[in-house]
Amino acid sequence: LVSVTSDKQKYFINNRVTNRGPHSTGLINQRGVLLDQSKLIFNGIGQIVHGAHGSKADQQNRVLMMSPDARGDANPLLLIDENDVIAAHAASVGPVDPVQMNYLMSRGIPYDQAQRLVIRGFLGAVLDAVPDKDVRQKMIDILERKLINGQKYQAN
């Protein structure tokens, strides 16, 4: 799941994956980018029910705040009712690394373009997992338009 918020948008996204069968795999991979004064909350629940032995559940909730006025939160939760499973979760919420931005800008890349490059790198883990090349490119095009429009709003 990829989400880009801008202006004063507020999104609360809930995801749940339940492993019901033995040796099943569940994955939640959420990435969010916040511009302006937007707000984003990711809630993810990975569950392995009794009887689903040998299953794997993995959950990643990551939020990148591109504005000091943005607010984000990531809440991963694992519910495990079986032994002999592998389960993991990770969450991160924070601003872009200024060293990354300074590095790109010191190479002559304008701020807006450097910002979009950092964001594309951040979202790459999810976008690269989209198996259909045409669908992936449509997602990238939509994200690029949203980022450019969000940057125009920030400039005002």
Side-chain angles (χ1 to χ4, degrees), residues 6-23:
S6 60
D7 194 12
K8 294 183 180 182
Q9 292 178 322
K10 294 180 182 177
Y11 283 99
F12 305 89
I13 299 174
N14 300 309
N15 279 312
R16 181 183 195 116
V17 173
T18 303
N19 296 59
R20 297 189 185 282
H23 306 286

Side-chain angles (χ1 to χ4, degrees), residues 134 136-146:
D134 293 332
R136 182 173 49 249
Q137 189 57 52
K138 285 179 184 178
M139 288 178 67
I140 290 169
D141 293 344
I142 291 167
L143 288 167
E144 192 70 16
R145 277 195 311 273
K146 177 121 183 176

Side-chain angles (χ1 to χ4, degrees), residues 5 18-19 60 64-65 69 79 92 100 126 152:
T5 59
T18 303
N19 296 59
Q60 293 187 27
L64 181 63
M65 295 184 296
D69 298 322
L79 303 172
S92 66
Q100 287 179 325
V126 175
K152 287 178 186 174

Side-chain angles (χ1 to χ4, degrees), residues 15-156:
N15 279 312
R16 181 183 195 116
V17 173
T18 303
N19 296 59
R20 297 189 185 282
H23 306 286
S24 57
T25 300
L27 172 64
I28 297 174
N29 192 359
Q30 303 179 123
R31 300 277 171 131
V33 176
L34 287 72
L35 304 167
D36 311 317
Q37 298 172 6
S38 62
K39 182 175 185 175
L40 174 65
I41 296 175
F42 281 144
N43 294 313
I45 299 174
Q47 182 177 14
I48 299 177
V49 300
H50 184 71
H53 60 277
S55 293
K56 297 177 185 176
D58 187 30
Q59 185 175 165
Q60 293 187 27
N61 303 304
R62 305 205 183 277
V63 177
L64 181 63
M65 295 184 296
M66 300 301 293
S67 164
D69 298 322
R71 297 289 173 252
D73 200 2
N75 305 302
L77 178 66
L78 290 172
L79 303 172
I80 310 299
D81 295 321
E82 183 58 79
N83 296 317
D84 185 32
V85 299
I86 297 172
H89 62 75
S92 66
V93 177
V96 68
D97 183 353
V99 173
Q100 287 179 325
M101 290 295 292
N102 289 335
Y103 177 83
L104 292 170
M105 291 170 53
S106 73
R107 302 306 188 264
I109 298 173
Y111 178 82
D112 287 354
Q113 186 179 354
Q115 191 180 49
R116 289 194 307 273
L117 285 170
V118 169
I119 292 168
R120 285 279 302 276
F122 175 75
L123 297 176
V126 175
L127 295 174
D128 291 346
V130 176
D132 186 288
K133 180 175 71 169
D134 293 332
V135 171
R136 182 173 49 249
Q137 189 57 52
K138 285 179 184 178
M139 288 178 67
I140 290 169
D141 293 344
I142 291 167
L143 288 167
E144 192 70 16
R145 277 195 311 273
K146 177 121 183 176
L147 292 172
I148 289 169
N149 290 337
Q151 288 173 326
K152 287 178 186 174
Y153 177 81
Q154 280 182 309
N156 292 333

